[in-house]
Amino acid sequence: MRATSALLAVLHIVRPFSKVLLDPYGAPKAASSKVDTYIETSFKTPNGVARPDGMIIVEQGKKNQWTALVEVKTGEAKLDAEQVNGYYEIARERGYDAVITISNELQPAPGVHPTPGIKVRANSKVAIHHMSWFMIRSLAVIEHDHRKVSDPEQAYILKELIRYLENPQSGAFEFTDMGEDWTAIRDGVRDGAVDKKSPAVANIAQKWDQLNRFLALKLSSDTGANVQQLLPKPHKDNPTKRSQDLVDLIASGQPLTGVLRIPDTIGDMELSADLRARRISTAVSFDAPADRGNKAKLTWLMKQLESSHDSLIIEVWQKGSRVATTTVPLSKSREDTSILLPPDGKDISRFRLVLNRDMGVGRKASGKGASFVESVTSIVIDFYDQTVSKLKAVVPAPPKAMKPSDTPTAEPKELEAGWPEVAIAESSLDEA
């Protein structure tokens, strides 16, 4: 109740924050829209009285009104599908627009609710949306620290919400736990004994996508940019296929993979977790400068890796090659850049930088060592801070205009006596 009250009060007062939070769900977007919020509204139903945790009404003028019921969980509490479906029916009967659920659970993918059993009719005007507390906090940080709320009182109120949500007693947590099935599946993959039909495998597949979503939100909060988890095209509109493909990877012992896109960086960040080898890695690929030779390309690269860790792996690729031509640790490359040159002297087309580390094996944080989530989060943040954020693509120089003195001139030829050049030109114009 405290968390619900704090959030709804700030949505009512700080319009820039309510815009960024509610605009994606269809609320009126005008900055002048009025936002009203209510706690524990009551509705009579055939089964008694239903009491959602809150209600949000956004009004733009007299005719454009958007209404959503809100159900909130904090701490380890999970959303109840039957309860949420009941609120959906209330919203449908009364012509409301949405039901919004809030908990510490993250969506495995955009538009996919983390609670099994949520039912929405195919042609329904009522939508069910989910927000994690970490997403709410991240958007609040972006709005306050990066976009800067102009009104000082609203900025102060938003900062107080952030401070509240960062306190563990608020019940708003980061993603830290791979779930109760983690240990069994982790060990099963290493031993080659995983039943792909087990619900536990599907749970870990969902947790992996939630971890990727958490990393995107964390990087968004840190950078102020809209970091996105990229999904393969066949998975974007088919969550079932996405889940099944991840289950197949886990059952076969192949590494779990993910991709994060950070705006204005030189390339997408690739993420891999090999549960069998208990190794994690992150990488970025990018084109080499096309306007210089191989030695100059390597000089350009090495200057940008001054703050990178010595264990970083540099892969050099030639055009059209299916494997890296050379693969060398950064520590050795610093001693002698020439070891990165292709042996056959062919042109370098692109580079790939890879950072590898041992995987944390624990289900969640403890004093015995880094957990899986902690180790993955750490390598992603370090790789971005030390390497990806330092890389800048080469911008080709604009073409130079020719100076008058550079323009080739021809010596004028003497006209043959009686050659009617001017007369011909005039005649041609007359005919045109």
Side-chain angles (χ1 to χ4, degrees):
M1 185 56 66
R2 288 193 300 267
T4 306
S5 299
L7 174 62
L8 295 185
V10 174
L11 289 177
H12 171 64
I13 297 170
V14 186
R15 179 59 183 140
F17 179 54
S18 65
K19 265 187 64 63
V20 74
L21 203 65
L22 302 176
D23 279 5
Y25 304 136
K29 297 183 179 181
S32 58
S33 296
K34 178 184 177 184
V35 181
D36 288 321
T37 56
Y38 304 89
I39 293 290
E40 286 200 325
T41 47
S42 299
F43 299 91
K44 291 183 179 180
T45 70
N47 299 322
V49 177
R51 190 174 285 108
D53 291 318
M55 174 186 281
I56 303 171
I57 301 175
V58 184
E59 292 181 301
Q60 181 183 340
K62 296 181 179 180
K63 295 183 179 180
N64 190 3
Q65 177 176 298
W66 179 89
T67 304
L69 300 178
V70 182
E71 177 60 18
V72 178
K73 301 294 182 185
T74 57
E76 302 291 340
K78 305 292 185 183
L79 291 161
D80 181 80
E82 184 177 352
Q83 185 182 42
V84 175
N85 289 333
Y87 296 153
Y88 166 79
E89 291 300 327
I90 292 173
R92 190 178 62 83
E93 291 170 1
R94 287 163 174 76
Y96 297 159
D97 300 279
V99 174
I100 295 175
T101 61
I102 302 172
S103 73
N104 283 313
E105 302 162 277
L106 287 106
Q107 292 174 288
V112 179
H113 203 282
T115 306
I118 297 294
K119 297 178 182 178
V120 178
R121 300 187 182 186
N123 58 350
S124 175
K125 295 181 179 179
V126 183
I128 298 180
H129 306 292
H130 179 74
M131 303 178 187
S132 69
W133 281 114
F134 188 73
M135 184 196 84
I136 293 170
R137 194 181 92 186
S138 298
L139 291 176
V141 169
I142 292 170
E143 200 63 32
H144 182 276
D145 294 354
H146 299 284
R147 296 178 183 168
K148 306 294 184 182
V149 177
S150 58
D151 184 282
E153 291 184 351
Q154 291 189 18
Y156 172 78
I157 290 170
L158 186 58
K159 181 62 176 178
E160 286 299 293
L161 175 66
I162 295 169
R163 192 164 69 92
Y164 173 80
L165 294 178
E166 288 176 344
N167 190 311
Q169 294 185 6
S170 69
F173 303 149
E174 293 188 0
F175 182 83
T176 58
D177 189 355
M178 286 298 290
E180 59 186 12
D181 298 313
W182 166 249
T183 303
I185 298 303
R186 177 202 66 197
D187 294 342
V189 170
R190 191 166 193 177
D191 298 337
V194 174
D195 180 5
K196 65 186 299 182
K197 296 181 180 180
S198 169
V201 183
N203 289 340
I204 296 304
Q206 185 181 63
K207 287 289 186 181
W208 171 251
D209 263 343
Q210 288 177 332
L211 175 55
N212 278 263
R213 187 93 172 114
F214 165 73
L215 293 169
L217 289 170
K218 188 166 185 61
L219 284 170
S220 295
S221 178
D222 290 348
T223 63
N226 183 22
V227 181
Q228 296 290 323
Q229 174 196 6
L230 296 188
L231 295 176
K233 190 173 182 181
H235 293 170
K236 285 183 179 179
D237 301 320
N238 193 339
T240 302
K241 178 173 175 52
R242 170 67 177 174
S243 178
Q244 186 57 55
D245 287 351
L246 287 175
V247 166
D248 290 343
L249 287 177
I250 295 171
S252 62
Q254 298 180 63
L256 291 166
T257 59
V259 179
L260 299 175
R261 174 163 292 174
I262 307 169
D264 302 322
T265 54
I266 200 167
D268 296 333
M269 283 181 60
E270 308 162 24
L271 182 62
S272 174
D274 190 333
L275 304 188
R276 177 173 288 173
R278 298 197 171 178
R279 294 281 284 174
I280 53 176
S281 67
T282 185
V284 63
S285 298
F286 50 94
D287 292 336
D291 59 349
R292 59 195 72 182
N294 282 349
K295 290 185 177 180
K297 290 176 182 180
L298 294 175
T299 300
W300 166 83
L301 174 67
M302 297 303 292
K303 284 183 178 179
Q304 299 189 79
L305 299 180
E306 292 178 353
S307 62
S308 296
H309 198 277
D310 282 345
S311 62
L312 186 75
I313 303 297
I314 300 176
E315 295 180 0
V316 178
W317 293 68
Q318 296 176 346
K319 187 176 182 180
S321 63
R322 296 184 178 182
V323 295
T325 306
T326 55
T327 301
V328 182
L330 177 58
S331 57
K332 292 186 177 180
S333 304
R334 282 180 170 141
E335 297 172 2
D336 182 10
T337 307
S338 64
I339 63 176
L340 291 169
L341 290 169
D344 56 7
K346 289 185 177 179
D347 193 47
I348 297 172
S349 63
R350 68 186 179 99
F351 299 106
R352 185 170 184 265
L353 307 177
V354 186
L355 185 63
N356 298 306
R357 284 184 186 169
D358 291 333
M359 183 185 88
V361 297
R363 167 187 164 182
K364 54 184 178 181
S366 68
K368 298 180 180 180
S371 69
F372 177 72
V373 174
E374 286 176 320
S375 63
V376 174
T377 303
S378 175
I379 194 174
V380 167
I381 298 301
D382 289 350
F383 186 61
Y384 176 76
D385 287 344
Q386 298 172 10
T387 302
V388 177
S389 65
K390 312 296 183 183
L391 296 169
K392 295 181 180 178
V394 173
V395 179
K400 294 182 179 180
M402 295 181 66
K403 298 178 181 178
S405 59
D406 296 334
T407 306
T409 56
E411 293 293 330
K413 295 181 179 179
E414 292 185 4
L415 295 177
E416 296 180 12
W419 184 261
E421 182 172 320
V422 175
I424 291 173
E426 291 177 351
S427 174
S428 300
L429 289 172
D430 289 341
E431 290 177 4

